[in-house]
Amino acid sequence: MALWCHRAPAAAVLPPSLSILGALGRGARPPWAYRVPLRAKTTLAPERAEKRLKTYEELPGPNWFQALYWLYVKGYIHRLHELQIVQRKIYGPMWRAGLRLDRNVGLASPESIEAVLRQDGKLPMMSEMDSLKEYRELRSLAKGPLTSDGEQWYKIRAALNKRMLLAQEVVVHTESINEVVSDLITRIRCTREDSPTGTTVGNVTDLLYRLALESLCSIFFNIRIGSLEKEVSPETVRFINSIGQVLKNAQYVDFLPKWTRGILPYWKRFLEGSDIIEAYAKKLISKKMEEIQAQVNSGKELEGNYLTHLLTDSKMTIQEAYGILTELLQAGVDTTSNTLAWTLYHLARDLELQNTLFKEVISVVPAGQIPTLGDFTKMPLLKAVIKETLRLYPVVPLNARIALEKDIVIGDYHFPKKTAFLLCQFALTRDETNFPEPDRFLPSRWLRDAALKPHPFSSIPFGFGVRACVGRRISEMEMYLTLSRLVQTFEMIPASDLGEVKAVNEGILIPDKPISLDFLDRDR
């Protein structure tokens, strides 16, 4: 997902071009003054239009002082996802969000976002991703699917699509993921036994981070690293912690001018976290390279793992393979784990829904049996639960597209090429036009017999088109297998001291405090 999905990272939320979200714009006017009729199609700008189309400069948007007030006085600097909703209410579904001479357009309607995404060419550009790109250039490292652009990105995606987007390639990992989930269940039982209540797991998200890392290592390297054991290696803990460290500090790195790097700590922390991630991934990849070389030396046929596929079928250099697998490893841990954490949080708060889901799961896979991917075609509610979680907490609350090839017309506005469109997915998925009671967790809205069918572009957590999430199938498989088995095994309720958990924007939407749940054994 997120980074899986080549997301605009924390860095892309507040780069110099986007940071003030519309500074130098004109003052705010009432919302009704800005409602723009939108068409769900892209039109090339005609040489001679029958009527005058409005320009980027005529879009509504906040001025400098309003932006500073929102960010620092109102405290939206750490809640940029919520600021999207504020701005949509004031300016309508499309507003000017640029600084200096940049053209950045905030979009928060499914029609406008569809119009932009349907014009993607062969080589769409997402966001600048300045900090991640700068790090790899500074360390002379090859770029992977997150930081590359142009023909190099296309080469990488073409290679990955063969192994990550084909169902028959992903399904072979079902058994290994189920083994990891079994270890998670064992770790939950051991953890709760050590708690004062005998039932509480104090930080569910942490265990799910370990689950995601273990799963990815199993898939990419065909190895187990023991991240769900009681005692986890210090370097594994540092790797997991460094992912959050990089995302958190990237927000400040791209927001602040470079001359502050020697004064403020964010750039140093960003580099330290990135170095830890790089070293950890390199160690795993090097170990796998030794196994491959041993197979070659003994004359054995090479196994079809990801590394051999990149080096042989795709003809990547070893440096390119390092860059690709490192970025995939970094991308897939926090996204899947946080989505599962939010899912368990909401199920624990709605026991009626949880019990309905339990009945659906055991009707397909009785207690004690292990599910397969084919079983989930008979579990519409389970899929709806995941989909509703991704609606409420899109892993990438803000993404971007840059129109490289042609001018675009949306509604009454003409935008020249190289305009950056900010896809405000959090505001999009909280729009009551498509989602009545948008702040409620209601998976039933995704079931076939739902009264209202939302616009197809009203929630696109995995993106759309050629630059959609390369890890979608792996992420969905991991979430389906994990959720079905947890519901099959435990009844989950909030710990007595949990209270309400809110989302914090650190490039992705994470809980503002540890999610602590009680795991009670289901009656057999």
Side-chain angles (χ1 to χ4, degrees):
M1 285 194 282
L3 281 171
W4 269 128
C5 308
H6 310 306
R7 64 172 175 244
V13 176
L14 287 174
S17 61
L18 311 182
S19 58
I20 305 302
L21 296 174
L24 301 184
R26 290 188 296 182
R29 290 183 284 174
W32 56 84
Y34 300 118
R35 293 294 171 184
V36 180
L38 300 172
R39 295 193 296 268
K41 65 178 181 179
T42 300
T43 309
L44 297 185
E47 294 183 3
R48 295 182 180 179
E50 295 182 2
K51 65 176 182 178
R52 190 187 77 85
L53 293 173
K54 298 177 183 179
T55 66
Y56 168 80
E57 287 72 22
E58 295 176 89
L59 275 174
N63 62 36
W64 178 275
F65 298 104
Q66 290 167 329
L68 290 178
Y69 175 78
W70 278 334
L71 290 173
Y72 296 105
V73 179
K74 300 293 287 185
Y76 283 110
I77 186 67
H78 296 296
R79 296 181 288 121
L80 290 172
H81 55 297
E82 296 177 13
L83 183 57
Q84 295 176 20
I85 295 177
V86 172
Q87 292 183 321
R88 184 189 63 192
K89 288 180 178 179
I90 295 174
Y91 304 116
M94 185 163 64
W95 63 92
R96 184 153 41 95
L99 180 63
R100 302 191 186 102
L101 299 179
D102 299 284
R103 291 188 179 92
N104 299 296
V105 181
L107 301 177
S109 76
E111 294 84 3
S112 61
I113 289 177
E114 179 182 9
V116 170
L117 293 181
R118 287 199 182 278
Q119 65 83 48
D120 273 347
K122 176 184 176 183
L123 304 173
M125 180 179 288
M126 293 193 66
S127 64
E128 292 298 328
M129 303 192 85
D130 289 337
S131 56
L132 295 180
K133 289 180 180 179
E134 186 178 356
Y135 170 77
R136 303 203 74 75
E137 291 167 358
L138 179 66
R139 298 289 194 253
S140 299
L141 300 169
K143 294 177 181 177
L146 310 181
T147 55
S148 59
D149 288 309
E151 292 293 341
Q152 178 63 15
W153 168 82
Y154 185 80
K155 175 186 176 183
I156 291 171
R157 273 303 297 254
L160 292 176
N161 288 351
K162 297 176 183 178
R163 301 301 299 270
M164 298 184 72
L165 292 181
L166 297 179
Q168 63 268 29
E169 293 289 341
V170 174
V171 72
V172 300
H173 302 294
T174 304
E175 183 178 350
S176 62
I177 300 302
N178 267 322
E179 290 176 359
V180 176
V181 177
S182 294
D183 288 348
L184 171 68
I185 292 172
T186 299
R187 177 52 37 212
I188 288 173
R189 286 182 170 136
C190 293
T191 302
R192 68 179 184 175
E193 288 173 4
D194 293 336
S195 72
T197 64
T199 59
T200 304
V201 174
N203 191 342
V204 172
T205 310
D206 177 65
L207 289 185
L208 294 173
Y209 266 81
R210 299 186 191 188
L211 167 85
L213 177 59
E214 194 75 27
S215 298
L216 291 178
C217 289
S218 175
I219 292 172
F220 292 150
F221 308 115
N222 195 29
I223 60 173
R224 297 295 303 275
I225 61 172
S227 58
L228 287 166
E229 298 294 327
K230 185 173 183 179
E231 299 295 331
V232 182
S233 71
E235 62 180 353
T236 296
V237 174
R238 283 196 299 270
F239 172 82
I240 293 174
N241 292 339
S242 293
I243 293 175
Q245 178 180 333
V246 166
L247 289 173
K248 182 176 183 178
N249 287 281
Q251 294 188 87
Y252 300 100
V253 166
D254 281 345
F255 172 58
L256 296 166
K258 289 188 177 181
W259 61 262
T260 64
R261 292 180 178 180
I263 303 172
L264 300 176
Y266 307 115
W267 175 244
K268 180 180 179 182
R269 293 172 184 168
F270 174 80
L271 291 180
E272 289 174 348
S274 298
D275 286 341
I276 291 172
I277 291 171
E278 195 68 29
Y280 188 85
K282 186 174 183 179
K283 181 177 179 180
L284 292 175
I285 296 168
S286 297
K287 183 177 180 180
K288 195 64 184 179
M289 279 297 301
E290 293 174 2
E291 294 178 9
I292 293 173
Q293 189 61 52
Q295 287 180 297
V296 172
N297 293 343
S298 63
K300 294 181 180 179
E301 184 177 350
L302 291 178
E303 298 176 0
N305 58 59
Y306 280 85
L307 189 55
T308 55
H309 168 69
L310 292 174
L311 295 176
T312 56
D313 297 352
S314 304
K315 297 181 173 57
M316 299 282 180
T317 66
I318 182 60
Q319 290 78 17
E320 289 173 326
Y322 271 105
I324 292 168
L325 288 174
T326 298
E327 290 190 5
L328 289 178
L329 197 63
Q330 180 179 0
V333 172
D334 56 348
T335 52
T336 301
S337 56
N338 277 296
T339 300
L340 280 170
W342 286 120
T343 301
L344 298 185
Y345 167 71
H346 280 282
L347 286 175
R349 288 161 58 93
D350 189 341
L351 287 182
E352 182 178 354
L353 171 62
Q354 186 183 155
N355 288 330
T356 302
L357 179 59
F358 167 70
K359 292 175 183 177
E360 177 185 82
V361 170
I362 63 170
S363 71
V364 180
V365 185
Q369 294 187 20
I370 304 296
T372 65
L373 279 185
D375 292 325
F376 300 117
T377 60
K378 307 168 191 174
M379 298 184 192
L381 180 58
L382 183 135
K383 290 186 174 183
V385 165
I386 294 293
K387 205 165 185 178
E388 180 70 347
T389 302
L390 290 170
R391 180 192 70 82
L392 277 176
Y393 308 96
V395 177
V396 187
L398 178 71
N399 211 332
R401 277 294 201 280
I402 299 175
L404 293 178
E405 300 179 3
K406 46 195 169 185
D407 293 4
I408 295 177
V409 170
I410 305 177
D412 293 332
Y413 285 84
H414 163 249
F415 302 103
K417 61 183 178 181
K418 295 188 179 180
T419 298
F421 295 95
L422 312 184
L423 315 183
C424 299
Q425 297 200 61
F426 188 84
L428 179 71
T429 60
R430 302 282 179 132
D431 185 353
E432 61 185 8
T433 302
N434 281 286
F435 303 106
E437 300 181 274
D439 295 326
R440 288 189 61 192
F441 187 77
L442 296 173
S444 58
R445 69 176 91 238
W446 298 105
L447 297 177
R448 183 172 296 180
D449 58 354
L452 177 65
K453 301 297 181 184
H455 189 288
F457 281 77
S458 60
S459 179
I460 46 172
F462 294 103
F464 175 82
V466 295
R467 199 126 198 186
C469 175
V470 70
R472 174 174 184 166
R473 289 191 180 277
I474 289 176
S475 180
E476 287 180 330
M477 174 180 68
E478 186 179 345
M479 289 190 290
Y480 293 163
L481 292 172
T482 302
L483 180 58
S484 62
R485 292 190 60 194
L486 288 179
V487 169
Q488 183 193 59
T489 308
F490 301 110
E491 180 182 50
M492 295 159 284
I493 60 175
S496 58
D497 60 347
L498 178 59
E500 183 179 3
V501 180
K502 296 183 178 180
V504 175
N505 191 337
E506 292 190 356
I508 62 173
L509 297 180
I510 66 171
D512 66 347
K513 61 182 177 180
I515 295 177
S516 54
L517 303 177
D518 287 334
F519 287 80
L520 312 177
D521 289 323
R522 291 278 184 184
D523 294 331
R524 299 297 182 184

